[in-house]
Amino acid sequence: LMAQLTVASPTNIAVIKYWGKRDTALNLPINSSVSLTINQADLRTVTTVTVSKDFEKDRLWLNGEEEDVSASKRVQKVFAMVRGRSRQWEGMKVHVVSVNNFPTAAGLASSAAGYAALAFALGKLYAVEESYPGELSTIARVGSGSACRSLAGGFVAWDMGSREDGADSCARQVAPAEHWPELQVLILVVSDKKKAVSSTAGMQTAVETSPLLAHRAAHVVPARMLAMEAAYLKKDFAAFAQLAMQDSNQFHATCLDTFPPIFYLNDVSRAVIQFVHAFNSACGETRMGYTFDAGPNAVLLVQQQHAVQALAAVLTHFPAEPGSEASYVNRPAMQQE
Ligand code: DP6
């Protein structure tokens, strides 16, 4: 007896950032967050999950290399949550083969795509019925917080919730990508090196040492979440881009406020920030926004009608290295292959 499923899972880029946990075992955040789902052929994770009674043990291969599943608490927790919700396939073992074709741990949210794919595929194979909308996203969340936002397409909020067991800390689609198809992103890969401080470690040190982070979670993000969702629903680009830029900047300010400080942005990242502000002021309106995750790579936000102008300006200021490709990204949703 055997069953197999392959899913292509998108990554996501937060425009209101998740940074800080109130529960590190369950990945329960200190604030809500919201992201754009990015599903571009060369920016997703393809994961094949096979369930069989002939397998001796659970095994996992990431980009061709076998990982020690028994040593990964996150993967163990995801398996346990799925198995705890289904009697189907009882006693069977799982083999997972996951490949992503974008820089792992370079701040392009690759763990998000991976755990979303794992939760989605296992949920399907084990025939897990959601007992409330978003339950499957709580399984992805236990793998990696940001992963819960990759199960839906478009604009997806992760509501922080208040329960201790995390059942209400789940994802909710604000609107599908078709609501605002003109909104696109341009990704500038400044470095594909693995980041020096992982998100998991960085945000924990921040929770312990940064008073700015505590202030942000309690007094800044709640109003920003409401304003951000409203801007997306109204397709108000200027408001959307401005909130995204401010939130990215505040997140990186909390990194500087962490002790010892953490630096994810580099000189090129800061030059990109200055370039976007100069571009907008030359245009006399906000035509470009930016956001940076836990790494130096820039995600630029543009609308289709200004994309060519924006790309031309970017390439003039930051000539692409020979052989590199500027990736210009559209945003549909998760696909089952
Ligand atoms: C900067 O989801 O990778 O990308 O929950 O510890 O796995 P863990 O952290 P992770 O953190 C993502 C941080 C971020 C912001 C965001 O995606 O909201």
Side-chain angles (χ1 to χ4, degrees), residues 229-243:
E229 288 187 38
Y232 191 86
L233 291 172
K234 274 193 291 186
K235 303 204 241 180
D236 180 345
F237 183 79
F240 177 85
Q242 199 171 316
L243 286 161

Side-chain angles (χ1 to χ4, degrees), residues 3-7 45-52 55 57-69 75-76 78-79 82-83 93-99 113-122 125-126:
Q4 186 174 74
L5 187 70
T6 296
V7 298
T45 296
V46 176
T47 301
T48 299
V49 178
T50 313
V51 181
S52 170
F55 294 155
K57 54 173 187 167
D58 295 329
R59 295 176 75 178
L60 180 147
W61 292 261
L62 186 56
N63 295 323
E65 304 256 333
E66 181 159 14
E67 307 274 307
D68 183 2
V69 192
V75 174
Q76 293 296 339
V78 169
F79 285 172
V82 171
R83 286 171 171 147
K93 300 296 179 204
V94 175
H95 283 186
V96 180
V97 176
S98 195
V99 176
Y115 282 106
L118 189 62
F120 182 82
L122 284 173
L125 285 171
Y126 279 77

